[in-house]
Amino acid sequence: DNRDKMDPDSWSTCPFCDSPVPSSQLQLHANAHFHDPELPQQPLQSLPSEYCNYYGGETSRDKEECSMDEKISCLIGLQTRSKFYKVESGLMTLLRNCLESETENSKTVLSGYVDHFQSLDSEDAGWGCGWRNIQMLSSHLLAQRPEAREVLFGGSGFVPDIVSLQRWLEVAWEKGFDAPGASQLDHDVYGSKKWIGTTECAALLRSFGFRARVVDFGPKESQSVVGTNVDNTDDKASSEAYQVLMDFVWNYFSDENTVQFGLQHVVVGEKTPLYFQHDGHSRTIVGVQAKHQRDGILTYNLLVLDPAHSITALERSLKKKMGWQKLIRKGTNTLKKPQYQLCYVDPGIASEEEMEKLKTMDSVFFEL
């Protein structure tokens, strides 16, 4: 049917019950069959692929449960590549050029390739930052790790849009990854504006075999809490307390086994970016800078990509080497929340035995 599906006068036939349905409502009507057994069913083989339901419900021949393999196969075929503004010369290359042009006594370690995924007013402004950070982390994995391209998002080789990621997360939950987190969000995120965080990121990536790790920073009483919602209190840790977080990030990126500065003061390491979560927002840490003060003390700056920032404005400031510092460089003085969470991905792909262990979420805790 080539008629305009947004035209209210355009009608289509439901592939389940042969009923005439407004084309604009066809998918909603068809999906209802998966959840209402009283509606008449036709054999699954008569369904076009776009009506395959891969996120639960009654979906198979003779009312047998659709297999996980069938759901995943369908999702692989239906997922959509996310649209984003691609910086022609590479965002991280521009950032590296800016850092190398600085004359201050400093050392910087960066992640490799990362694309910036911006939250859009028309799509996800106000709630989608978590999904955008997953997209940024995924762009790095696809570009930097050959083994990732084979397994991530079914070997599609691209970063899916938010609704496709939502379906992948539900598949991860159905496989048994992060059962408490799935329950907290009622096992349902597809098409919603629900907030997600580090544990959802880790669960999604673990379902593909990635060794995604979660790190918590906060007051001692929060040590046992691992989850999406970071507690928001009025207590503010001192700058000295936040040094624990800064030290962790520096040690993470500047692993002695992988980073050798030599005569360079800016190097590209092998570590993935860090999904950086706090109450109300999340961003992506793509590197860290250490500066030597006159008294010999090191101070750190996180290098952060924010989904809320305009990528075109960011690109312009990096190309001109003006104003980028305010957008990307974040010192200890910018850390004001009582709790933070990080998510990163260790190298390699887990074995089947390890995958079972990865279904249970855990984290390393540091007291602020």
Side-chain angles (χ1 to χ4, degrees):
D1 190 346
N2 294 321
R3 292 174 294 180
D4 181 1
K5 293 192 175 183
M6 298 304 293
D7 182 350
D9 296 324
S10 176
W11 293 76
S12 298
T13 301
C14 173
F16 285 99
C17 59
D18 291 325
S19 300
V21 181
S23 295
S24 61
Q25 301 177 23
L26 179 59
Q27 187 165 6
L28 182 64
H29 173 93
N31 280 342
H33 285 275
F34 295 122
H35 303 287
D36 188 349
E38 298 302 317
L39 289 175
Q41 298 274 345
Q42 286 188 354
L44 185 64
Q45 59 263 34
S46 69
L47 290 177
S49 63
E50 61 264 35
Y51 300 116
C52 178
N53 186 327
Y54 35 80
Y55 51 91
E58 191 172 52
T59 61
S60 63
R61 303 172 183 84
D62 300 324
K63 298 185 179 181
E64 293 176 358
E65 185 177 353
C66 185
S67 74
M68 178 59 69
D69 287 345
E70 287 176 311
K71 292 179 182 179
I72 292 174
S73 177
C74 195
L75 176 48
I76 291 171
L78 291 179
Q79 63 183 339
T80 302
R81 183 191 297 264
S82 181
K83 296 179 181 178
F84 69 100
Y85 180 88
K86 192 173 184 66
V87 176
E88 184 177 348
S89 52
L91 183 65
M92 296 300 290
T93 299
L94 292 178
L95 176 56
R96 182 177 181 176
N97 292 341
C98 287
L99 290 162
E100 288 178 340
S101 68
E102 293 186 320
T103 58
E104 295 173 310
N105 185 14
S106 66
K107 292 182 178 180
T108 302
V109 191
L110 295 173
S111 288
Y113 187 92
V114 186
D115 284 315
H116 180 276
F117 286 79
Q118 177 184 336
S119 291
L120 303 175
D121 290 340
S122 60
E123 294 181 20
D124 64 298
W127 60 271
C129 56
W131 300 106
R132 297 304 185 184
N133 291 313
I134 290 176
Q135 289 176 326
M136 288 194 234
L137 188 48
S138 297
S139 74
H140 171 88
L141 291 170
L142 290 171
Q144 299 291 128
R145 298 190 181 181
E147 73 275 14
R149 294 184 64 87
E150 296 178 11
V151 298
L152 192 56
F153 310 124
S156 66
F158 61 75
V159 178
D161 61 6
I162 289 178
V163 291
S164 298
L165 290 177
Q166 290 174 328
R167 289 162 173 160
W168 278 117
L169 178 57
E170 290 184 356
V171 166
W173 285 341
E174 192 169 344
K175 286 181 176 181
F177 290 88
D178 189 23
S183 178
Q184 185 180 2
L185 292 173
D186 298 323
H187 301 267
D188 179 19
V189 288
Y190 171 68
S192 76
K193 295 181 179 181
K194 293 178 181 178
W195 286 63
I196 62 156
T198 49
T199 51
E200 285 71 40
C201 174
L204 190 154
L205 293 176
R206 286 182 177 196
S207 71
F208 295 109
F210 293 105
R211 299 181 175 103
R213 313 297 186 191
V214 176
V215 184
D216 278 286
F217 299 86
K220 189 173 184 179
E221 59 270 18
S222 68
Q223 182 169 355
S224 62
V225 179
V226 180
T228 302
N229 298 317
V230 180
D231 183 35
N232 186 22
T233 69
D234 293 329
D235 297 327
K236 305 296 183 186
S238 66
S239 295
E240 290 182 2
Y242 290 123
Q243 193 64 35
V244 174
L245 191 155
M246 289 293 197
D247 286 339
F248 177 90
V249 175
W250 173 257
N251 291 332
Y252 169 78
F253 279 108
S254 64
D255 188 322
E256 293 180 358
N257 297 322
T258 58
V259 172
Q260 299 294 329
F261 280 96
L263 297 177
Q264 298 173 300
H265 70 277
V266 180
V267 298
V268 176
E270 298 179 0
K271 298 300 183 73
T272 66
L274 293 164
Y275 184 126
F276 185 40
Q277 175 82 36
H278 60 77
D279 181 62
H281 194 41
S282 60
R283 294 166 289 173
T284 298
I285 300 174
V286 296
V288 61
Q289 183 180 55
K291 290 188 176 183
H292 291 275
Q293 302 302 310
R294 290 181 180 178
D295 55 9
I297 297 176
L298 282 176
T299 59
Y300 297 112
N301 289 308
L302 306 178
L303 301 172
V304 176
L305 296 181
D306 192 331
H309 287 165
S310 163
I311 179 57
T312 52
L314 183 57
E315 178 190 31
R316 185 166 55 250
S317 66
L318 288 169
K319 284 186 173 179
K320 293 182 177 180
K321 297 183 179 179
M322 293 176 58
W324 64 270
Q325 298 92 336
K326 185 176 180 180
L327 295 172
I328 293 178
R329 193 152 56 195
K330 305 297 177 182
T332 306
N333 63 309
T334 66
L335 302 178
K336 301 182 183 300
K337 299 292 183 178
Q339 290 178 267
Y340 290 89
Q341 288 182 318
L342 300 173
C343 179
Y344 63 92
V345 183
D346 277 336
I349 301 297
S351 64
E352 288 189 18
E353 182 180 354
E354 188 181 353
M355 287 277 279
E356 284 301 311
K357 296 179 181 178
L358 289 175
K359 289 180 179 180
T360 301
M361 284 293 143
D362 54 6
S363 71
V364 176
F365 177 81
F366 290 88
E367 183 180 355
L368 292 179

